[in-house]
Amino acid sequence: MLDKIGIAKRIAQELKDGYFVNLGIGIPTLVANYIPEGINVEIQSENGVLGMGPFPFEGEEDADIINAGKQTITTLAGASFFDSAMSFAMIRGKHVDLTILGAMEVSENGDIANWKIPGKMVKGMGGAMDLVASAENIIVAMMHVNKAGESKILKKCTLPLTGVNCVKKIVTELAFMEVTDKGIRLLERAPGVSVEQIVAATEATLLIVGEIPEMVIE
Amino acid sequence: MINKNVNTVQEALVGIENGMTLLLGGFGLCGIPENCIAELVQKETSQLTCVSNNAGVDDFGLGLLLQKKQIKKMISSYVGENAEFERQMLSGELEVELIPQGTLAERCRAAQAGIPAFYTPAGYGTEVAEGKETRDFNGKTHILEHAFEADFSIIKAWKGDTAGNLIFKGTARNFNPCMAGAAKITIVEVEELVEAGTLDPNQIHIPGIFVQRIFQGEKYEKRIEQRTVRTKN
């Protein structure tokens, strides 16, 4: 089974040289720490920065330089700042190659719900609806089941949707999956996890073709 | 040169009345017009409709207006981090419209640019699309969104000159340039106001034509919402 860092490490293997990437809050943010050697990517944060770097050293933080999670950050060589309309021009205009974000629920046709639990949590969608409506390559980083032990990978989402038919890949503590025209296909098992365990934790129908390899995490 | 300079925050905010709609720049607490917000609290202007990406925190930013119950309706994309906001929303005291962040930015830009409405794919298939016109382009459904119609834009820039030309710094830029000229009157507060002719015209982010009033803020707290650092080994 993977921990959050393991999920981030597995997603990092999906990064390709030259990608512009938008990282959501939570596990997706951790992906920046595990970019494979020899792969150059630039991280976009929708509040208006491209070329985001690590957190600043203590005492060097600048209130005017933050990411979309409102955390103080630094910028790398080649970075740029821009306004919110231009930021979403990058996103809607499909100039960002990969979007990695968290989810509360994903359905087998690639619908995603991650912004609202009616009556409980109403924080807003932020940039997630714009991102999922336009990105061609969306990876969801999430836990396979909720705190009550119920599957978050469903035949149909129960929570208000963020976007429809958009998720391409899902990485959880148990598995690496791909959303296909025919449903969710199981691609890899997390270390030490069996296909049966994954099926038992998944409400959606999983397509299982041949031997399912165990993922390799360094 | 047309002089846009006003001397005080009080003078800058003349004409803002109860029940008006305001566009307010900033992302979280970054790049917010903190002097204008403080003065709005002093003025006790109420029943406001505020368009801003976020609603501040309990004791800073727009949270200060919420505490005094000066806001009737909030139009934002993300409103976590504010307990008083949540309380007023759940009790029904505060009307809240949550919209996608890119749509919020574009509705400002459209107002600035004289485009009454536009189609976007953001929110299709979700409750955001309910009751809105849709149209297919290239096999994909888009929803029609309208430009904001606001009375005042209240924004913050890093540097400005007396002609109203603006330069922003870092991610404090965010919604501020999109809101310049997106309302009937645009008020700008800057950290440093210089004489026209001092700034290099090549470096101007927003030309003064979009600005009606500009002044230098008395002080800037620039509070950090999430101070994240690493330690030197």
Side-chain angles (χ1 to χ4, degrees), chain A residues 55-58 60-64 66 70-72 83-84 88 92 116 123-126 130 133 161-162, chain B residues 54 77-79 99-103 120-122 126-127 140 169 171 174-175 222 226-230 232:
Chain A
F55 295 147
F57 288 118
E58 210 167 341
E60 292 175 7
E61 61 272 29
D62 183 341
D64 290 331
I66 64 166
K70 286 114 182 174
Q71 297 170 310
T72 45
D83 67 63
S84 300
F88 283 91
R92 263 190 255 100
K116 184 177 183 182
K123 294 194 169 184
M125 65 291 280
D130 310 272
L161 294 179
T162 309
Chain B
N54 314 90
S77 87
Y78 190 83
V79 294
I99 63 176
Q101 194 174 124
T103 299
T120 176
T126 76
E127 61 185 53
K140 194 166 168 174
K169 176 171 164 267
T171 55
N174 57 64
F175 288 84
K222 294 217 252 183
Q226 305 278 346
R227 187 180 300 274
T228 45
V229 295
R230 61 194 156 129
K232 281 181 186 160

